[in-house]
Amino acid sequence: MAGNWKMYKTPAETHSFFEEFKPLVDGAKHCEIVICPPFPNLHTALKEARGTSIAVGAQNLYWGREGAVTGEVSGHMLQSAGCTYVIVGHSERRQYFNETEEDVLRKTIAALDYGLTAIVCVGEKLQERESGMTEGVLIQQFTGGIGGLASDQFEKILIAYEPVWAIGTGKTATPAIASEAHAIIRREAAQRFGDLAASNLRILYGGSVKPDNCGSLMNAADIDGALVGGASLDPQSFAKIVNYMS
Ligand code: PGA
């Protein structure tokens, strides 16, 4: 269960979140918990997460190790800071910062080179879904952004299926719609990397996941976890998502 905080919260707010959140997920052993705050809050989040089972990730990285690249942060820096995860290719990055499949592949490889687990995002826009292009878009994103990985690299990534029309809109994909998309991704994974790698692949669903819809999504075939935006900002609601089985 991964929380994507996007461009929300200060270090002080990060501290308060963790103080409230930690006791609520203390007994949660059935899943990994990851929180991805904005860069300036990583230090606070890492300090707060020490000694707990909560992992901390970033929301983006650059593929170089270091250099004259103003405004960017490298996988090496994230690893040195103590991060263990990073989100790659979120639709907001694709949409507002023109990230391409090639960027996604480079960033994913850079993440893995520095020991970070990449959460690679894919998903179609509303107009693509409405014009029957969902499968084609998913295949294209898989082929361009993920298909170029070596098998040992592929084993170390997670994929998040996030239909763009469901992000921040309150319109969650139904469990059936999400399952169907996850099955397409798993089929592509099997074709490129083999059945075993495909069945070991964890595919997270993201797009308006809330405490009240989480259980039905998690019970659907092929859905292995969630990438949660808005509902991960509130400790009570993210804890309910983490503890969806109880
Ligand atoms: P949302 O965002 O849960 O607010 O829809 C999900 C995401 O963008 O990762």
Side-chain angles (χ1 to χ4, degrees):
M1 293 296 182
N4 170 16
W5 281 5
K6 310 194 179 188
M7 198 173 68
Y8 290 99
K9 291 195 193 291
T10 61
E13 288 163 349
T14 301
H15 171 79
S16 313
F17 173 94
F18 271 85
E19 289 307 297
E20 194 174 337
F21 182 65
K22 283 191 285 189
L24 300 173
V25 296
D26 208 17
K29 301 277 179 268
H30 60 283
C31 67
E32 284 165 54
I33 306 169
V34 186
I35 294 191
C36 302
F39 292 129
N41 305 347
L42 287 174
H43 176 72
T44 307
L46 285 158
K47 206 163 102 192
E48 289 288 336
R50 207 171 290 150
T52 73
S53 61
I54 305 168
V56 175
Q59 299 170 17
N60 183 28
L61 81 164
Y62 187 75
W63 48 79
R65 179 190 165 93
E66 58 184 16
V69 196
T70 302
E72 293 295 319
V73 172
S74 73
H76 172 57
M77 291 166 182
L78 296 174
Q79 180 191 41
S80 310
C83 290
T84 45
Y85 285 81
V86 62
I87 298 170
V88 178
H90 189 281
S91 60
E92 287 150 16
R93 305 256 1 133
R94 295 173 186 261
Q95 202 176 333
Y96 306 137
F97 301 96
N98 302 318
E99 281 192 12
T100 62
E101 303 311 340
E102 209 173 40
D103 296 335
V104 171
L105 180 60
R106 275 195 209 162
K107 289 182 178 203
T108 304
I109 292 172
L112 298 173
D113 281 348
Y114 293 106
L116 301 165
T117 299
I119 304 175
V120 185
C121 303
V122 296
E124 81 287 358
K125 299 191 187 106
L126 181 60
Q127 154 217 353
E128 292 166 339
R129 170 157 290 270
E130 285 175 343
S131 45
M133 285 159 63
T134 299
E135 182 166 352
V137 168
L138 293 178
I139 294 174
Q140 183 207 325
Q141 291 177 342
F142 188 96
T143 308
I146 298 165
L149 296 174
S151 296
D152 61 327
Q153 293 172 321
F154 180 74
E155 280 168 20
K156 298 191 191 110
I157 68 163
L158 308 183
I159 295 179
Y161 168 63
E162 297 207 314
V164 179
W165 49 270
I167 295 177
T169 58
K171 284 189 204 152
T172 323
T174 60
I177 289 178
S179 254
E180 195 182 296
H182 286 216
I184 294 170
I185 296 166
R186 215 179 285 283
R187 188 195 68 206
E188 286 304 300
Q191 273 170 15
R192 288 194 172 248
F193 298 102
D195 289 342
L196 183 62
S199 71
N200 288 339
L201 170 68
R202 284 177 295 168
I203 308 176
L204 314 183
Y205 167 78
S208 299
V209 175
K210 307 284 176 220
D212 60 355
N213 60 27
C214 184
S216 59
L217 285 161
M218 291 311 118
N219 286 334
D222 273 321
I223 303 182
D224 306 310
L227 180 56
V228 186
S232 72
L233 293 168
D234 174 61
Q236 297 289 339
S237 80
F238 194 41
K240 281 193 194 132
I241 289 173
V242 167
N243 298 321
Y244 72 94
M245 290 191 294
S246 50

